Amino acid sequence: MALDEALLESHRGFRDDRSGIREEFLQPTLGPGRTVAVLSRPQGPSLPAGWVICHSFGLEQLMLHRLEVVVARALAAAGFPTLRFFVQGYGDSETRGQAVEVSWHLDGTMDAIALMRDMGGVSVVGALGVRFGALVAALAAERARLPLLGLWQPFLTGDQFLRNFAQTALFETMLEQADRQGSQRLGGLEEFGPEGWKDLNGLRLSRRALDDISAIDLRRDLRLLEASALVVGISRSGSLPQEVAEVAAHLVAIGVDCREEGVQDESAPMLGQHQFRKIGDGEAERDIFYDAYRAIAEATVSWAVEHSGPAASLRDRSR
Amino acid sequence: MREFPVFVPYGREHVAAVVTVPDGEPHGLVVLATGLGAPRSHRHQVWAVAAERLARSSIASVRFDYLALHDSTGLLEELRTPPTGEAMAVAEFARRATGAREVIGVGNCWGAHVALTVAARMEACVGAVCILPETVEPGRAGGALRSPPGRKVAALLRSNRRIRRILKRLKRADLQPSQAVRDLLPRALERSKVLFVYDEEHLDTGRREVGKVRALLDHLPEDVRNRFELRLLPGRGLARLRSIVVQELLLTTLLEWVQERFHPEQEARRVADHALSAEATVAPRAAR
């Protein structure tokens, strides 16, 4: 029997009448290679504002992936075309088993923005991102002069992100001893082999990536941004965590119209880590961010509808 | 090699999957399943890399996201049993699309259960690779302690340190092969070879668990029993693919084993080589 290409091609997408959306797998070249992206759209006419979602770094990409999916589908249900994609070195991208470069995140996002701009009916593009993805979304918004920017649990600097990232990695491998012996700044992440990368719990982490992340500082890197922004922070108390509040303050200081949203969730400190917890003696597993992801999606859609300018007015006219 | 991302219909939902096909006709199809939480490409893209290497050996593969996770549709706050239904749907779809005659299931943790299910239920399946499979479950006593009234008793017993220690030992003794192993493994072995893979970190648990599995296998006819194989990978970190070394060891083991199933002449060569080396040395094979 031969390959049934028609069968495969006919299953690239689906329509879901319950939510009123359709989704389609794309295989565009974004950054230095071909990758897999998913375009979520409403079944009816789309609003003229389209969204690109930027994922986080390392294993966080897969830990936070469902948040991107939940938000993308909520935005599509509200009328917005939304694109999520794998940066090279992640998921189904063609670059596999290599140390990820920060430039792949940025170049991939810039190409994804261009792809979204080229889509029929899209006149305004906004960027969204979580944790490290929020840093990427902000840098891309600055470069591409985007008028809309949504940041979930963002950091102000790459160093802040790396410290948090390193804490999780070190906790996981019980490398406190290495931490005590030196390299206090980033908890041992700076120690590299001669090949220029280290094996961090199975992740190839390169010196260059570490340096490039460290070099990110939104206080210096965001200057020209003229946008409406949403900053969502998730915490046990429901108030914005300090790093998140600093990002919001900086955006306001440079003249960005910024909305702050706090999401209260007991599991907040675990954001970016394994999201399933055993119940009882392990007879079931519970998604600890099930409610929080929906709360973030709701806040994002509500802000997007309000701030997408022409998009919002079109929506109002259609009611 | 070509890759086709698809949404496979399953009831009202859609399972996100990627079908990888080699250039030319495939010698077989591998269904790659993950543990709970990992995406179809797996942690550190290990299944995406596996798909690429399998394709280089003229073997097609399909990797997928469980329902309500990653790109698949569905809403579930709690997951209770390994989702085998959608895995079977994906396997059937990929077999139809690729035209592959034979199938092998591969998976870790929940995915190991999926691999065993594919081997037990799919006529075309010739093998299953189960990485750190969950092979035991509480017996009668443990089951009773898991019931709602039993939980209260268990909590009371756990509050005393000495009783807690005794309870732990009793729990261990009470373990029995899981229903999946009891039901699926014998059926899978009727026509398929089954490989269980452990690492040194899970050696202790693995031995205890495998003891239960061995006892179960002892009741099967010899020719069926002989289709079961266990390998121990050197090193640690297999559970979360926590080092690049263990990722590479797993990929090498997987590729070798799958190639032997789909290319029987390779297995014959390996058996011959093994026989020759056994004559030369008495040392056992490290990874078995």
Side-chain angles (χ1 to χ4, degrees), chain A residues 58-135:
Chain A
L59 265 189
E60 286 195 7
Q61 177 272 320
L62 60 99
M63 301 300 181
L64 294 163
H65 186 229
R66 192 64 183 176
L67 169 62
E68 296 172 32
V69 175
V70 168
V71 176
R73 288 178 181 161
L75 282 167
F80 298 101
T82 306
L83 188 74
R84 58 185 191 271
F85 69 101
F86 295 115
V87 168
Q88 292 302 310
Y90 295 89
D92 304 318
S93 68
E94 73 172 343
T95 307
R96 292 169 193 182
Q98 289 184 35
V100 167
E101 304 271 336
V102 171
S103 62
W104 298 350
H105 277 266
L106 281 167
D107 296 346
T109 304
M110 294 305 287
D111 289 345
I113 290 167
L115 179 70
M116 184 51 95
R117 274 182 175 150
D118 286 347
M119 265 171 211
V122 172
S123 56
V124 181
V125 177
L128 302 163
V130 58
R131 286 176 57 89
F132 177 73
L135 287 169

Side-chain angles (χ1 to χ4, degrees), chain B:
Chain B
M1 168 192 107
R2 291 169 72 193
E3 295 208 306
F4 297 88
V6 289
F7 285 104
V8 179
Y10 182 67
R12 297 174 73 186
E13 305 298 348
H14 289 85
V15 186
V18 173
V19 180
T20 306
V21 291
D23 300 326
E25 199 174 323
H27 292 296
L29 168 75
V30 172
V31 179
L32 297 163
T34 67
L36 176 66
R40 56 186 180 266
S41 57
H42 216 318
R43 285 172 165 248
H44 312 295
Q45 296 179 296
V46 169
W47 277 177
V49 172
E52 207 172 86
R53 293 190 190 173
L54 287 165
R56 263 187 247 141
S57 297
S58 297
I59 296 165
S61 65
V62 62
R63 51 190 193 269
F64 63 98
D65 295 323
Y66 295 124
L67 286 183
L69 300 178
H70 299 283
D71 285 321
S72 288
T73 65
L75 298 172
L76 275 177
E77 192 173 357
E78 283 180 15
L79 296 136
R80 287 191 177 268
T81 50
T84 52
E86 63 247 46
M88 291 297 293
V90 166
E92 292 288 0
F93 174 87
R95 202 166 88 85
R96 197 151 58 96
T98 59
R101 277 192 293 272
E102 293 182 330
V103 176
I104 288 177
V106 174
N108 69 300
C109 196
W110 277 30
H113 186 126
V114 165
L116 215 48
T117 305
V118 171
R121 292 192 192 153
M122 206 171 180
E123 201 70 33
C125 193
V126 296
V129 179
C130 304
I131 303 149
L132 300 176
E134 287 177 359
T135 52
V136 290
E137 65 187 16
R140 278 190 181 178
L145 289 175
R146 280 177 164 207
S147 66
R151 268 186 218 158
K152 284 182 188 163
V153 177
L156 201 68
L157 293 173
R158 273 200 297 264
S159 62
N160 181 304
R161 192 188 293 175
R162 284 183 69 184
I163 297 177
R164 195 163 60 225
R165 216 174 294 155
I166 296 166
L167 203 63
K168 209 173 177 183
R169 260 182 250 151
L170 285 174
K171 261 186 171 177
R172 212 175 289 161
D174 180 51
L175 288 177
Q176 59 174 13
S178 65
Q179 199 185 351
V181 168
R182 289 201 310 268
D183 294 351
L184 297 173
L185 184 59
R187 278 167 62 193
L189 287 170
E190 278 171 22
R191 59 165 170 268
S192 312
K193 290 210 169 193
V194 175
L195 171 68
F196 279 16
V197 183
Y198 293 90
D199 66 349
E200 284 172 13
E201 192 177 349
H202 296 85
L203 178 65
D204 287 346
T205 335
R207 271 193 180 148
R208 202 160 48 232
E209 291 187 9
V210 168
K212 306 272 183 192
V213 176
R214 289 260 186 230
L216 179 84
L217 290 170
D218 282 345
H219 295 291
L220 301 175
E222 196 180 350
D223 58 327
V224 174
R225 192 165 63 226
N226 286 345
R227 295 196 189 108
F228 177 79
E229 188 183 345
L230 185 136
R231 288 194 195 179
L232 175 70
L233 298 186
R236 305 161 68 82
L238 184 60
R240 292 186 175 187
L241 300 169
R242 232 170 31 222
S243 80
I244 292 162
V245 173
V246 85
Q247 291 166 21
E248 279 303 321
L249 276 169
L250 175 63
L251 285 166
T252 306
T253 304
L254 171 63
L255 196 65
E256 253 181 41
W257 199 85
V258 166
Q259 277 176 330
E260 284 172 4
R261 295 283 85 68
F262 288 143
H263 306 270
E265 69 283 0
Q266 283 192 19
E267 186 177 18
R269 206 179 310 133
R270 184 182 66 78
V271 171
D273 289 350
H274 187 60
L276 280 174
S277 64
E279 277 173 24
T281 172
V282 290
R285 200 173 167 204
R288 291 192 81 127

Side-chain angles (χ1 to χ4, degrees), chain A residues 24-37:
Chain A
E24 187 188 357
F25 274 121
L26 309 175
Q27 289 176 285
T29 295
L30 301 177
R34 202 165 180 230
T35 192
V36 166

